[in-house]
Amino acid sequence: MELTANRFNQSAVIALEDITLQTALERATSNADRRRRAVLAELDHTAALRQQGRASRLRALHDLPELLEQLEANITANGGHVLWAADAAEANQHVLDICRKHNLKRGVKSKSMATEEIGLLPFLEKHGIRMIETDLGEYIVQIDESHPSHIIMPVMHMTKEQIRDLFMEKLNMPPTDDAAEMTKFIRGHLRQEYLQADFGMSGGNFMIAETGTVVIVTNEGNGRLSTGVPPVHIAVVGIEKVIPTWEDFATLVQLLPRSGTGQRMTVYVNGFSGPARAGEPDGPQEFYLILLDNGRSDIYASDYTEALACIRCGACLNACPVYQNVGGHSYGWVYPGPIGAIVTPLLKGKENAAPLPFASSLCGACRQACPVDINIPDMLLALRHDLQHEQEAMWQLGMKAYAFGFSHPLLYEMGGRAAAAASQAVIDGIGVDKPDGKKLSQLPPPLSGWTQNRDFPPFAPQSFRDWWRQNRGKK
Amino acid sequence: MPSRDAILNKLRDARRTAKADMRLLESAAPRPAAFLPVTQIDDTSPDGLLTRFTEELIRLKGEVFLCDHDQAARDQIAALLTEHGATRALAWDFACIPLPALAETVRGMGIDVIHPQTHDEFRAETLSTAETAQVSITGVDAAAAATGTLIVTTAPGKGRIPTVLAPVHIAIVRQRQIVPRIEDWVGMLRADSMAAIRASANVCFITGPSRTGDIEMELILGVHGPGRVQVVIIRE
């Protein structure tokens, strides 16, 4: 999809004024965050489990090249094919080559952020291959010709009425306001797609090296139908998703839904270790795994390796006060929210997503919510440091002056007096319009930007230092 | 294979540089001798596990039917098939379902039983017939009590389609198949070097009926998979 991360500020302002979106965001993020807290609180050793999950991910990243080789060897031994893709173009080409080799014309797909990242569907469409998204949310996004706004709740930005109108317009759904009826209609609508598809596609939430198993998690069952019914299965998975053993998996696969949707387990946790074995009655006869780099090895080699530990649960999105207000589309690419504000600049170039690391109050809610304790705030801060040169000259000069003033006590004290005098002058000049008379609602240029959306508290007439000098002898 | 080698070489080169984040990876806690299980389970007696499994599955809007012996289980399944007005059922080979004489019970009701085979030239016909089945009947490899999870692997006679295509999934579980947690099932497989996973193309952990919350986070069951999961447990 097109990268518009540099328009974050403009997009965010539009999002903030979209009342429908604000309602949808408030409902979705607060519900998901509340459920996450509830199902984590019921565990006896939440903190220890989180560290156990984190250590699993960090060890896996440390051994990444060896685990990828082990995974490849096991899948190949099981009769599957493993292809490597340095970038999006190579991954897309692999899929197209497979389609041509087996004469595949129509596919069904379960939800995958990796295929969204490489722009697979528009690419296949251009080459005459039809691909249907089968996750309800992703299907809505597909017929709406838009993009998901959340990693695990793709249409959390839409209301039921918007979805109803879309189904009625694009699919001739009979009128109904009932979400159950709408869902039933889509079940019937997509049924034949599964049965007639030439191939199925998926991403992968985990890849277990020791047995060569790719795992996807879905609640709807579309993943099991998409990968189990058609004769060919192609999975596109980022190289960072590999873990060594089933014990690591058992921890992570339960931390994922508890953090993401507040479920104890996802309904269908589906593991594929190659094509159907001899004598098995169904399942794909051809199995392909495309291992996607597309910038991940650059992250591995950077100072931000920890970002690759992410298991894409979406908890940091729901917990983030910025995401809660601006929604996923403002971030301008596939991965929104706090983790997106790290991953997008690293995968697409820092200068192409410069506002994102600044779209955070560094409050730390993201790290607190992260099931594998990724230090998101520190990475955002480090990215800001890397992006210093992207900032306006005025801002840079201001920050330098600030640092100078605060490291020279005399200058600091004089500055405080000057500020107090200046704010008094503004009060005398334009007055205060608040009942308590204590807040300035309008500052003169060039400071007027600050008061456009908020008040400014005037400096106290007397500084604490002066007060201390006067009063320190008194009882 | 240029991309393969380029990617692996780049990862290895990066690791050799030992930058700050590489030290973070090196400092990760070593693999524990025993992993901490995620969920707690107090009563691991056979009846304790049965109770916990039942509670968890009901909480997810699944259904549990307890039967004291094989005949009771067959009667229960017959009652469910009647309730669903079943004329056609998808099923694993009955030899793979641990309930003797179930085939006779089901066929005796005049129900057309399909064991879908999708690897032959009749694939399209098989699928379009299978789609019309009202119910499916399978066994399980194991059930995990703490999460109300059914665990199924594939093998000759044990397909994926019967676990997911029909609107109702009837799963038959013997009480001894209930393990405390997913971690305990993994532990059992580990004792045999994960042979059960290696022998199978697919493993699936099924926890309750198919669900979605995509439309305004309203819970809807049965979006693509079965909206009803009915587990018949035979006590031992």
Side-chain angles (χ1 to χ4, degrees), chain A residues 52 59 62 66 72 90 134 137 160 187 191 210 220 247 267 269-271 273 277 282-283 298 301 305, chain B residues 3-4 10 15 19 21 29 36 119 160-161 165 190 198 201-203 205 207 210 214 216 224-225:
Chain A
Q52 179 167 289
R59 285 193 303 272
H62 183 268
E66 291 75 24
E72 178 188 40
E90 191 177 4
T134 57
K160 184 163 71 179
R187 179 185 169 109
R191 217 65 192 159
E210 66 166 330
E220 298 181 358
E247 284 82 1
V267 179
V269 172
N270 211 342
S273 313
R277 304 296 168 82
D282 57 18
D298 292 328
T305 317
Chain B
S3 286
R4 174 188 190 278
K10 197 163 159 192
R15 197 168 48 185
K19 284 205 268 191
D21 264 29
L36 200 59
H119 297 156
R160 312 176 201 210
I161 289 173
L165 192 70
R190 173 66 63 202
R198 292 179 202 281
N202 180 268
V203 55
F205 302 81
T207 307
S210 155
D214 275 338
E216 291 193 353
H224 295 291

Side-chain angles (χ1 to χ4, degrees), chain A residues 29 33 36-37 314-321 324 363 365-366 369:
Chain A
T29 57
D33 200 49
R36 174 183 68 81
R37 287 166 193 269
C316 63
L317 282 59
N318 303 329
C320 176
Q324 285 167 6
C363 68
C366 46

Side-chain angles (χ1 to χ4, degrees), chain A residues 21 83 88 112 142 168 203 223 246 287 305 416 431 433:
Chain A
L21 176 67
L83 304 167
S112 147
Q142 186 178 27
M168 286 174 64
W246 280 80
F287 176 82
T305 317
D433 58 0

Side-chain angles (χ1 to χ4, degrees), chain A residues 229-289:
Chain A
V229 179
V232 178
H233 174 193
I234 309 170
V236 181
V237 190
I239 53 172
E240 84 281 17
K241 300 268 182 166
V242 67
I243 50 174
T245 69
W246 280 80
E247 284 82 1
D248 298 279
F249 167 73
T251 304
L252 292 167
V253 79
Q254 295 182 75
L255 287 177
L256 173 65
R258 279 180 191 263
S259 304
T261 53
Q263 291 172 278
R264 293 169 187 84
M265 267 295 273
T266 313
V267 179
Y268 298 94
V269 172
N270 211 342
F272 322 102
S273 313
R277 304 296 168 82
E280 287 188 356
D282 57 18
Q285 288 160 295
E286 297 286 348
F287 176 82
Y288 292 89
L289 170 64

Side-chain angles (χ1 to χ4, degrees), chain A residues 8 79 141 366 451 455:
Chain A
F8 178 87
V141 164
C366 46
T451 45
D455 294 332

Side-chain angles (χ1 to χ4, degrees), chain A residues 166-366:
Chain A
L166 182 72
F167 287 173
M168 286 174 64
E169 186 198 321
K170 300 268 173 115
L171 309 174
N172 294 318
M173 181 183 75
T176 176
D177 275 337
D178 182 7
E181 286 295 316
M182 290 159 66
T183 306
K184 199 173 155 193
F185 173 79
I186 295 299
R187 179 185 169 109
H189 185 76
L190 289 181
R191 217 65 192 159
Q192 291 303 317
E193 299 290 346
Y194 294 119
L195 305 182
Q196 290 170 20
D198 302 321
F199 70 117
M201 285 196 70
S202 72
N205 294 87
F206 303 101
M207 302 188 287
I208 307 167
E210 66 166 330
T211 51
T213 307
V214 177
V215 182
I216 62 168
V217 305
T218 74
N219 277 319
E220 298 181 358
N222 63 311
R224 190 153 174 78
L225 286 165
S226 299
T227 59
V229 179
V232 178
H233 174 193
I234 309 170
V236 181
V237 190
I239 53 172
E240 84 281 17
K241 300 268 182 166
V242 67
I243 50 174
T245 69
W246 280 80
E247 284 82 1
D248 298 279
F249 167 73
T251 304
L252 292 167
V253 79
Q254 295 182 75
L255 287 177
L256 173 65
R258 279 180 191 263
S259 304
T261 53
Q263 291 172 278
R264 293 169 187 84
M265 267 295 273
T266 313
V267 179
Y268 298 94
V269 172
N270 211 342
F272 322 102
S273 313
R277 304 296 168 82
E280 287 188 356
D282 57 18
Q285 288 160 295
E286 297 286 348
F287 176 82
Y288 292 89
L289 170 64
I290 298 171
L291 289 171
L292 178 70
D293 181 347
N294 204 32
R296 286 164 177 76
S297 59
D298 292 328
I299 298 182
Y300 193 75
S302 75
D303 290 328
Y304 301 94
T305 317
E306 194 186 348
L308 296 175
C310 175
I311 59 171
R312 302 277 188 267
C313 68
C316 63
L317 282 59
N318 303 329
C320 176
V322 176
Y323 182 91
Q324 285 167 6
N325 282 283
V326 304
H329 287 155
S330 299
Y331 291 82
W333 200 50
V334 181
Y335 303 107
I339 192 67
I342 296 170
V343 170
T344 305
L346 293 176
L347 289 179
K348 303 300 280 184
K350 289 172 195 165
E351 66 288 355
N352 297 320
L356 298 190
F358 297 89
S360 165
S361 65
L362 301 178
C363 68
C366 46

